[in-house]
């Protein structure tokens, strides 16, 4: 007799007994922040094909302890100041386990009767934070900013070019406008949407990285003169490289005067809307037609959880104009509570549940306080660099992102010096930052994503950077 398929309570208990202590360890002694191995060394441990016979939790536990966990990036480590990925709330991570077993299909009310209500309630609550009328707004939970931006671009395209969904873009010459510092996913949406990436016109930003509104107006005029059809402006809140906020209010006024769709890409900054003190950075967002914000960035949710919100709920159905008889109602619309008509994906996790539960647990004010702490950590870090002989910040932090140069003894800016320092920092394993290229210069870049980081942690990262820099110089 083959063993019964592992669906019993005992099977669940065995899994939790293996997983829960290892989850606890992730919040325990920090140790190294990432793997000491090079990628080719690490690859050695993952060769061969997976087994025909399973080895049980004992074998898997060894794999987790030897090969996987010590060679993962530890996001809760006090030295983590890297990409704009959330340091996830333990409660949200635990709910992820519950969600996996429940496995609701978030887009269908008959597969997730309470689940669709959860998602609607989160959408309305987020819409209210943006300043949209929650009764008129609508939206959908997505896999993140990339998909949110794609759906928004398609909805805007379909409004301006109603024939595009069925007939393609043969006729028009669409033009959209964004900051030169726009996130690459927006450009990708133009390739996917059949408009061509050249349809997205980059507008120069000022010294502080904010889109120049005079240049925006000029670019729209030039497009009209060339016989093109402007239809969309994308504002970054903030933009990606240095976290600068485009002047959303002024851009909204231009979009309104020109009759253009305004999309605000607040994938990163959306979480600041929870804070009464930081919300002004997104002033004007309430006039947007659509807004992207990621739960898995500044809302402390595990990946993946993105949100796309529409001021006018009818626009939420603008991107996908299809009849799917077995999923949608006879007119192609969904059945009121379903999200198939708004969602790119068919099967979709109820990732909304994690925000719904943590929102109930902690309240929106607390989320706002955490955003303030992250921004405060960035300002502290910036202040320490200003006074530091080895480093030099290249901008005032508008959000929780800080980019900076490492001073080279030659007095010149040396791009590879930055790569070498970053590599040495990771080898030393006490802190984790990333690299970027902005205005033609290689820079080190931090995003302060962990609301428990304060003076001591910021000082630790600065110290680790100085040690890495000194070590690079010593070893040549
Ligand atoms: C992170 C980010 C994105 C991409 O979002 P994903 O959730 O990674 O898909 C898009 N735009 C901006 C401004 C971002 O910060």
């Amino acid at each position: 007799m083959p063993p019964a398929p592992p669906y019993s309570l005992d099977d669940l208990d065995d899994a939790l007994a293996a997983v829960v202590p290892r989850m606890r360890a992730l919040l325990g002694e920090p140790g190294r922040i990432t793997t000491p191995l090079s990628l080719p060394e690490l690859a050695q441990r993952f060769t061969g094909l997976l087994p025909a016979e399973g080895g049980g939790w004992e074998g898997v536990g060894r794999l987790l302890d030897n090969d996987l966990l010590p060679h993962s990036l530890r996001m809760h480590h006090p030295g983590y100041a890297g990409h704009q990925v959330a340091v996830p709330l333990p409660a949200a991570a635990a709910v992820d386990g519950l969600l996996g077993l429940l496995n609701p299909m978030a887009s269908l009310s008959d597969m997730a009767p309470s689940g669709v209500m959860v998602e609607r309630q989160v959408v309305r609550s987020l819409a209210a934070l943006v300043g949209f009328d929650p009764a008129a707004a609508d939206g959908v939970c997505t896999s993140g900013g990339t998909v949110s931006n794609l759906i928004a671009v398609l909805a805007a395209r379909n409004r301006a070019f109603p024939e595009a969904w069925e007939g393609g873009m043969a006729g028009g010459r669409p033009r959209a406008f964004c900051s030169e510092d726009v996130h690459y996913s927006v450009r990708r949406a133009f390739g996917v949407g059949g408009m061509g990436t050249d349809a997205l016109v980059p507008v120069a930003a000022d010294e502080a990285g904010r889109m120049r509104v005079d240049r925006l107006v000029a670019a729209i005029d030039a497009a009209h003169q060339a016989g093109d059809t402007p239809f969309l402006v994308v504002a970054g809140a903030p933009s990606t490289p240095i976290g600068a906020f485009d002047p959303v209010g002024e851009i909204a006024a231009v979009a309104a005067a020109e009759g253009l769709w305004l999309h605000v890409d607040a994938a990163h900054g959306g979480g600041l809307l929870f804070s009464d003190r930081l919300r002004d950075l997104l002033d004007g967002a309430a006039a947007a037609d659509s807004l992207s914000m990621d739960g898995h960035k500044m809302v402390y949710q595990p990946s993946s959880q993105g949100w796309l919100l529409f001021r006018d709920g009818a626009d939420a159905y603008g991107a996908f104009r299809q009849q799917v008889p077995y999923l949608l109602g006879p007119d192609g619309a969904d059945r009121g509570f379903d999200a198939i008509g708004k969602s790119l994906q068919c099967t979709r996790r109820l990732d909304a549940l994690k925000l719904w539960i943590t929102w109930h647990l902690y309240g929106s004010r607390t989320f706002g306080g955490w955003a303030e702490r992250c921004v405060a950590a960035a300002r502290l870090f910036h202040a320490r660099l200003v006074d530091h002989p080895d480093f030099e910040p290249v901008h005032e932090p508008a959000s929780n992102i800080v980019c900076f140069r490492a001073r080279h003894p030659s007095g010149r800016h040396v791009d590879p010096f930055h790569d070498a320092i970053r590599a040495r920092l990771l080898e030393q394993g006490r802190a984790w930052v990333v690299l970027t290229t902005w205005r033609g210069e290689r820079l080190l870049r931090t995003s302060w994503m962990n609301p428990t980081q304060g003076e001591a942690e910021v000082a630790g990262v600065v110290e680790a950077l100085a040690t890495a820099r000194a070590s690079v110089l010593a070893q040549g």
Side-chain angles (χ1 to χ4, degrees):
M1 269 269 287
Y7 282 83
S8 73
L9 272 180
D10 285 345
D11 293 307
L12 177 63
D13 288 340
D14 288 350
L16 290 175
V19 170
V20 169
R22 292 180 171 91
M23 288 177 77
R24 292 175 58 90
L26 290 180
L27 298 189
E29 266 308 297
R32 283 192 59 89
I33 196 164
T34 189
T35 179
L37 301 182
S38 70
L39 292 178
E41 284 168 337
L42 190 54
Q44 295 289 318
R45 300 181 178 216
F46 294 84
T47 52
L49 301 178
L50 293 168
E53 306 288 341
W57 276 110
E58 216 182 286
V60 170
R62 273 196 303 276
L63 291 171
L64 288 174
D65 294 340
N66 296 334
D67 296 342
L68 193 100
L69 294 169
H71 306 289
S72 298
L73 173 62
R74 294 279 297 273
M75 308 205 54
H76 298 81
H77 192 288
Y80 176 74
H83 280 300
Q84 297 153 263
V85 176
V87 175
L89 290 165
V95 171
D96 238 342
L98 179 67
L99 186 60
L101 199 58
L102 191 64
N103 205 27
M105 180 160 164
S107 291
L108 290 175
S109 55
D110 52 2
M111 290 202 72
S114 54
V116 297
M117 305 308 164
V118 161
E119 184 167 323
R120 279 161 59 91
Q121 202 174 9
V122 177
V123 161
R124 288 182 180 182
S125 304
L126 291 173
L129 288 182
V130 176
F132 294 162
D133 170 3
D138 199 354
V140 65
C141 185
T142 68
S143 66
T146 302
V147 168
S148 296
N149 289 342
L150 173 65
I151 298 174
V153 167
L154 293 180
R157 181 201 68 173
N158 291 349
R159 185 169 83 181
F161 302 91
E163 73 296 341
W165 178 260
E166 288 189 327
M169 286 304 298
R173 299 224 306 164
R175 283 293 176 270
F177 307 86
C178 62
S179 159
E180 59 180 319
D181 286 339
V182 75
H183 189 270
Y184 77 91
S185 61
V186 176
R187 187 162 304 280
R188 187 172 278 195
F190 282 78
V192 174
M195 290 172 283
T197 56
D198 289 348
L200 183 63
V201 179
V203 175
D206 65 15
E207 290 280 282
R210 299 153 46 94
M211 188 202 285
R212 282 185 52 178
V213 177
D214 60 328
R215 295 293 184 89
L216 170 65
V217 170
I220 294 170
D221 284 348
H224 281 303
Q225 304 243 315
D228 299 338
T229 307
F231 74 103
L232 166 68
V233 185
V234 178
S239 67
T240 306
I242 65 165
F245 287 83
D246 288 336
V248 179
E250 289 171 55
I251 293 170
V254 173
E258 294 279 345
L260 309 183
W261 183 296
L262 173 62
H263 176 64
V264 175
D265 183 359
H268 180 76
L272 307 189
L273 291 166
F274 284 89
S275 158
D276 292 338
R277 286 203 262 151
L278 298 171
R279 185 175 304 135
D280 286 355
L281 289 165
L282 290 97
D283 230 7
D289 294 280
S290 54
L291 179 140
S292 307
M293 66 181 281
D294 276 352
H296 62 222
K297 285 185 176 161
M298 292 299 291
V299 199
Y300 314 100
Q301 304 290 309
S303 308
S304 56
Q305 186 197 104
W307 297 92
L308 175 60
L309 307 169
F310 294 88
R311 180 167 42 84
D312 176 351
D315 286 336
Y317 295 87
F320 309 112
R321 303 188 167 184
Q322 274 174 302
Q323 308 276 333
V324 187
Y326 72 103
L327 293 177
L328 299 176
D331 57 353
D334 66 28
R335 294 165 296 192
F337 290 101
D338 294 2
I340 288 283
K342 300 182 278 191
S343 160
L344 175 67
Q345 299 132 281
C346 182
T347 303
R348 194 165 57 93
R349 277 170 64 90
L350 185 70
D351 286 307
L353 184 65
K354 290 169 276 183
L355 183 48
W356 188 81
I357 285 183
T358 50
W359 199 321
H360 272 296
L361 278 173
Y362 309 120
S364 56
R365 280 218 186 88
T366 313
F367 279 93
W370 296 333
E372 288 164 19
R373 293 174 75 120
C374 291
V375 171
R379 291 192 181 143
L380 255 169
F381 180 71
H382 177 268
R384 287 200 171 248
L385 293 192
V386 166
D387 292 337
H388 204 284
D390 297 346
F391 301 104
E392 178 192 12
V394 299
H395 64 101
E396 294 280 332
S399 60
N400 56 327
I401 297 173
V402 182
C403 295
F404 57 102
R405 299 188 183 98
R407 293 186 202 273
H408 192 266
S410 68
R412 283 175 299 140
H413 184 91
V414 180
D415 283 351
F417 189 45
H418 295 75
D419 297 68
I421 291 172
R422 202 254 176 174
R424 189 61 47 86
L425 187 74
L426 269 50
E427 268 167 47
Q428 293 177 340
R430 292 195 290 128
W432 204 89
V433 308
V434 299
L435 292 157
T436 191
T437 299
W438 190 62
R439 306 287 188 257
E441 275 184 356
R442 200 75 167 139
L443 300 170
L444 291 157
R445 180 173 183 271
T446 54
S447 301
W448 295 87
M449 303 300 292
N450 183 341
T452 70
Q453 284 168 324
E455 294 264 4
E457 292 77 13
V458 167
V461 172
V462 174
E463 217 268 301
L465 281 161
T467 306
R469 177 183 173 279
S471 157
V472 167
L473 288 174
Q475 294 181 20

